[in-house]
Amino acid sequence: MAIAIDRGYRFRKDNTRLGHIPGGYGFPYIGQTLSLVNDPFPFLKEQYDRFGPISKMRLTGQNMILALGPDLNREITTDTQQLYSNRMGYAGVAGDFFGDGLLMQDFDEHRMQRRIMQTAFKTASLQQHIFHINEIT
């Protein structure tokens, strides 16, 4: 049975109207990049304390939404309603590096490829990998 994958969302225009989300963009282009890189944990804590679990920010020219806390992270990473796109979220910062890799795939496409890859990461497979790596090295 073939899986029908709707890839149309990839070509829809981004919603850039984020005025209702608290936070700020900082300096033009660099935004909060330096603060985050120099001391990430205090920066993220300050962002959370000041704006709450969801805020907007800018890193290296890209406006983003920051979702902090275990509940939001669980919702986003499990994504049972298929509301959050890895491809659309990471395309600007990692798209060139990851191409069409597993990290950049969404929904049924991601699930199908992940199941194919899972066998390579089971204990028995990893033990075989280590055996062959040790032999080679």
Side-chain angles (χ1 to χ4, degrees), residues 1-4 112:
M1 176 167 125
I3 296 174
M112 181 180 68

Side-chain angles (χ1 to χ4, degrees), residues 29-38 43 57-61:
Y29 189 76
I30 63 169
Q32 292 97 335
T33 304
L34 298 176
S35 298
L36 182 67
V37 170
N38 286 334
F43 170 78
M57 62 184 292
R58 178 180 297 129
L59 295 177
T60 60

Side-chain angles (χ1 to χ4, degrees), residues 14 32 35 56 65 78 102 108 119:
D14 285 345
Q32 292 97 335
S35 298
K56 62 186 172 193
I65 300 298
T78 56
L102 189 60
D108 291 335
T119 57

Side-chain angles (χ1 to χ4, degrees), residues 8 17 43 45 49 56 63-64 76 93 96 121 127 137:
R17 293 171 291 148
F43 170 78
K45 181 172 179 356
D49 292 344
K56 62 186 172 193
N63 295 343
M64 356 182 111
I76 291 168
V93 294
D96 291 339
F121 296 99
Q127 287 171 342
T137 55

Side-chain angles (χ1 to χ4, degrees), residues 99-123:
D100 202 30
L102 189 60
L103 177 66
M104 302 300 285
Q105 296 176 3
D106 291 320
F107 317 129
D108 291 335
E109 181 182 31
H110 173 84
R111 187 175 297 107
M112 181 180 68
Q113 294 297 326
R114 189 190 71 222
R115 286 184 179 147
I116 291 169
M117 297 293 292
Q118 269 180 318
T119 57
F121 296 99
K122 292 192 176 190
T123 302

Side-chain angles (χ1 to χ4, degrees), residues 13-21 25 56 63 65:
K13 188 176 177 189
D14 285 345
N15 179 4
T16 58
R17 293 171 291 148
L18 304 176
H20 62 292
I21 297 175
Y25 295 123
K56 62 186 172 193
N63 295 343
I65 300 298

Side-chain angles (χ1 to χ4, degrees), residues 18-92:
L18 304 176
H20 62 292
I21 297 175
Y25 295 123
F27 295 111
Y29 189 76
I30 63 169
Q32 292 97 335
T33 304
L34 298 176
S35 298
L36 182 67
V37 170
N38 286 334
D39 216 351
F41 296 114
F43 170 78
L44 294 171
K45 181 172 179 356
E46 178 186 339
Q47 194 81 356
Y48 185 90
D49 292 344
R50 191 167 171 202
F51 301 114
I54 297 178
S55 61
K56 62 186 172 193
M57 62 184 292
R58 178 180 297 129
L59 295 177
T60 60
Q62 186 174 21
N63 295 343
M64 356 182 111
I65 300 298
L66 184 61
L68 298 171
D71 294 335
L72 285 174
N73 279 276
R74 184 180 314 105
E75 179 181 330
I76 291 168
T77 56
T78 56
D79 194 15
T80 56
Q81 296 179 351
Q82 297 186 349
L83 300 173
Y84 309 103
S85 167
N86 286 333
R87 180 182 305 280
M88 301 303 288
Y90 291 119

